[in-house]
Amino acid sequence: TSLLLNRTAPIGTILQNLSSSDPDEGLKGTEGLRYSVSFQEQDIFAVDASSGSISLKSGLCSKELVDVTKVVVQIKSSDSGAVPRSSVAVISVNITQINLAGPYFDSDNYTAVVSVGATAGQNLFRVEAFDSPLDNC
C-alpha cells in the first residue's frame, strides 16, 4: 500500500485505517486481533492496537527529516491464539511538500561602495538568497 502525507500534517493525523480478518472463531479469530508496528525507518508513526488506525506520532518538520520523502512502515496483525499467528502489511508513505514560502534574502537593503575606476562587468558585491523546505513548516 502506498499513501501520501503532507509534511505539514499535524501530529495525530490518521493516515489509514487497517483491517484484517481471521477465519478462526472468538479470540483466536478476528475478535482477538491486535495491531502493532513491526518495523519503521523513522519513529514517526503509531498504530492503535485494537482498531488498526495508523497515525502520525511526531512532526515531519524537523532538520532530521527535511530530506526524507518516503518512509516504509510495517504493521503486524496478530491473533490471540495459544500459538499466535500473524501477518504483516508493508506501507510506503510518500511525504509531499507544499511550497508556501519563496526564497528570501538575508537583508532588505544592501549598500556597496563603487570605485570610480570600476570597469563594466566588474563584480561589486554579492548577495545570496535562501530557500528551505522547513520554511513551510
Side-chain angles (χ1 to χ4, degrees):
T1 301
S2 183
L3 305 172
L4 289 176
L5 178 64
N6 188 296
R7 184 172 301 281
T8 59
I11 293 172
T13 297
I14 302 293
L15 281 76
Q16 179 86 20
N17 291 312
L18 293 179
S19 66
S20 58
S21 61
D22 187 326
D24 294 332
E25 293 184 15
L27 292 177
K28 295 178 186 176
T30 302
E31 184 180 322
L33 290 178
R34 306 302 283 170
Y35 299 91
S36 61
V37 175
S38 63
F39 170 80
Q40 62 182 318
E41 296 166 338
Q42 307 287 338
D43 189 27
I44 54 179
F45 300 112
V47 64
D48 183 277
S50 56
S51 72
S53 292
I54 303 170
S55 62
L56 186 62
K57 75 174 187 178
S58 66
L60 300 172
C61 288
S62 67
K63 289 183 179 180
E64 296 80 26
L65 297 173
V66 69
D67 294 325
V68 176
T69 58
K70 182 179 180 180
V71 178
V72 174
V73 60
Q74 294 179 4
I75 306 297
K76 181 168 70 171
S77 173
S78 303
D79 67 16
S80 299
V83 178
R85 305 271 183 189
S86 64
S87 183
V88 173
V90 178
I91 300 165
S92 296
V93 181
N94 295 298
I95 300 170
T96 61
Q97 179 73 36
I98 296 176
N99 191 3
L100 301 174
Y104 59 92
F105 293 97
D106 61 354
S107 177
D108 291 333
N109 297 303
Y110 293 92
T111 303
V113 177
V114 180
S115 169
V116 173
T119 59
Q122 179 180 344
N123 288 333
L124 303 176
F125 68 102
R126 181 183 173 144
V127 297
E128 191 172 8
F130 304 92
D131 189 18
S132 168
L134 293 180
D135 293 338
N136 296 309
C137 293

